[in-house]
Amino acid sequence: MPRGLALQQHGHEEAQICLLLEGEYLERTRGRAWHLRPGSTWFRPPRELHANIVAPEEDALTLLVSIGRDRFASLERCASDPRLLRSELLGELRSEMRRELQSGDAGAVLALEGWALLLLSRTGRLLGGGDLQTPEWLDDALHLIRQTYCQPISLSTVAARVAVHPATLAAACRRFHHISVGELIRELRLRHAWKALVGSRAPIKQIAVEAGFYDQAHLGRLCRRRLGLSPAEIRVRQSPFSPPL
């Protein structure tokens, strides 16, 4: 959308998701103005009357996804009001889509289609349309754990990052994924260590620390309890690892 563009009030038959990749614009609806900035993800129900004004400083580049009723009828029913969607994963989607647009190669179209489908899936979760009604912050918490498990993290630090009480996070993780936060962190660290043990000749002490364990002894105790072998035995036997994740 070119800079300074002003679209008068109008509506669309289908629900829409707008992911703002670059630039800024205002969306006016129901007597309120929403300032959308890069990374903003906006959900608009079917036939929602709205007007748009693009900021005068630069063009706005927006991924606009219309949700066909025949395929995504349930998503249209998830929310009757327009709303901003907030999630760390949505920020990553923006980065990946901008990268694909800049690449311009033959695979970019397929990649963008895949990211758009992921955007639809994520929107359904955020709007509460999933069958299990998974809280949006739980997906953010699990994503954070998978990105930082090698660092010193705990139930309390993860809960603080997603702005919920530790007990709330602990209960949701067990309810929806049948594992505690601590167990998930240990499993991810153990998988990391196992891959390094069977796929490299790095010192076991180094592997333990890089995987997030306190020391080699800590890794050794968990390996024996979880796999029935010491780290050295795992390396020699190339023992398989099947985590319950």
Side-chain angles (χ1 to χ4, degrees):
M1 298 185 291
R3 66 191 69 187
L5 175 69
L7 297 176
Q8 300 302 314
Q9 191 176 70
H10 62 286
H12 306 274
E13 284 300 311
E14 299 174 330
Q16 293 186 328
I17 304 168
C18 309
L19 174 57
L20 188 54
L21 302 175
E22 298 175 3
E24 300 182 14
Y25 71 90
L26 290 178
E27 171 119 356
R28 296 186 182 275
T29 182
R30 303 191 184 190
R32 182 175 177 183
W34 299 81
H35 188 183
L36 305 183
R37 299 177 175 85
S40 295
T41 303
W42 177 253
F43 173 77
R44 186 187 298 131
R47 296 173 296 282
E48 180 73 24
L49 294 178
H50 61 284
N52 306 108
I53 302 176
V54 180
E57 292 78 16
E58 61 177 321
D59 299 341
L61 179 62
T62 305
L63 174 72
L64 182 63
V65 179
S66 296
I67 307 168
R69 291 185 176 183
D70 56 339
R71 188 174 183 187
F72 298 107
S74 61
L75 184 57
E76 289 191 6
R77 294 193 298 268
C78 291
S80 58
D81 301 320
R83 66 185 68 181
L84 275 174
L85 305 177
R86 294 178 173 84
S87 164
E88 290 187 12
L89 289 180
L90 291 177
E92 292 192 4
L93 282 177
R94 171 182 173 257
S95 298
E96 293 295 337
M97 288 181 177
R98 291 181 71 245
R99 185 177 299 114
E100 292 297 339
L101 286 170
Q102 291 167 0
S103 70
D105 59 19
V109 174
L110 290 176
L112 287 167
E113 182 178 351
W115 287 117
L117 289 172
L118 184 57
L119 174 63
L120 282 168
S121 172
R122 183 59 175 162
T123 299
R125 285 288 184 86
L126 291 171
L127 294 175
D131 293 337
L132 296 179
Q133 298 292 306
T134 306
E136 60 183 84
W137 50 261
L138 180 56
D139 283 340
D140 284 343
L142 297 180
H143 178 71
L144 176 63
I145 290 171
R146 293 188 177 103
Q147 294 295 315
T148 62
Y149 65 85
C150 289
Q151 304 170 18
I153 60 172
S154 65
L155 171 64
S156 297
T157 58
V158 175
R161 284 285 300 275
V162 297
V164 300
H165 192 279
T168 302
L169 173 57
C173 194
R174 283 198 174 278
R175 177 186 177 189
F176 293 104
H177 297 280
H178 311 292
I179 191 171
S180 73
V181 172
E183 290 168 342
L184 175 60
I185 293 171
R186 286 192 294 272
E187 286 290 327
L188 290 170
R189 288 173 174 172
L190 186 56
R191 178 191 292 178
H192 183 109
W194 171 82
K195 288 182 178 179
L197 288 169
V198 301
S200 76
R201 303 309 301 172
I204 295 176
K205 179 179 180 180
Q206 175 184 330
I207 290 174
V209 173
E210 290 179 350
F213 293 101
Y214 182 73
D215 55 21
Q216 182 175 335
H218 186 193
L219 171 61
R221 288 192 297 271
L222 185 58
C223 284
R224 292 185 182 90
R225 183 168 70 247
R226 174 72 173 78
L227 303 175
L229 299 170
S230 69
E233 290 170 331
I234 291 173
R235 169 167 279 171
V236 170
R237 301 184 187 184
Q238 299 285 295
S239 174
F241 178 54
S242 301
L245 302 178

